[in-house]
Structures are given as C-alpha cells and as structure tokens.
Amino acid sequence: YDYLSPLSFCARFRAPTRELLGGDAFDNDFSAEYPASYFPGIRRGEVLAIISDPPDPVVDGNYRLRQDPRGELDGSVHRAYLEKF
C-alpha cells in the first residue's frame, strides 16, 4: 500500500462558523462528509490535503483527523472532524 499516492474525490467540506439551518445554527469545526466506501480504514491522526475547486487559500491546506470518522445517515456516509495545521 502506497500511503503517498494522491487520491482525488468529492466531499462536502465544512469550515468553522458556517451558518446552518438558515442561520439558526452554526458549525464550529472543520469537517468533511464523504461516502464511507472511499476511506473505510482512515483513522484518527491521519493527514489529508484538501484542495478546493476553485482554489480557496483560506480552506486549502493540510488537515489531521481529530477522531475516527463517524457514520452518518444509514452508515453509507462518514463525517471526519479535522484540525488544520
């Protein structure tokens, strides 16, 4: 297994203080939602390089998983909580 090979995929990325529910709630953590089948073995402490399209210098960078990803909905989607470094 080559840990340095880049992997490209689409995910829903959330940055701190983004409004949710029409301004009734706020998300205060970096997180990414993605199909569970994309990274079934990813764990706390692993590093992801996030590059948005179009590029966004505020969002783009290296992130570490703060905890093991959590299953969402019916388990087919995972949410990974991230910290930027």
Side-chain angles (χ1 to χ4, degrees), residues 10-73:
C10 291
R12 179 176 291 143
F13 181 79
R14 299 188 189 277
T17 65
R18 300 259 173 130
E19 288 187 25
L20 303 173
L21 304 172
D24 291 336
F26 294 90
D27 188 4
N28 291 316
D29 293 314
F30 286 109
S31 67
E33 291 178 4
Y34 57 91
S37 61
Y38 284 9
F39 295 114
I42 196 168
R43 298 286 177 247
R44 178 181 180 206
E46 294 193 54
V47 174
L48 301 175
I50 294 180
I51 303 167
S52 57
D53 184 17
D56 182 342
V58 174
V59 171
D60 296 353
N62 292 319
Y63 294 81
R64 186 179 327 277
L65 271 72
R66 290 186 15 223
Q67 60 194 46
D68 288 348
R70 295 183 190 177
E72 303 271 326
L73 303 172

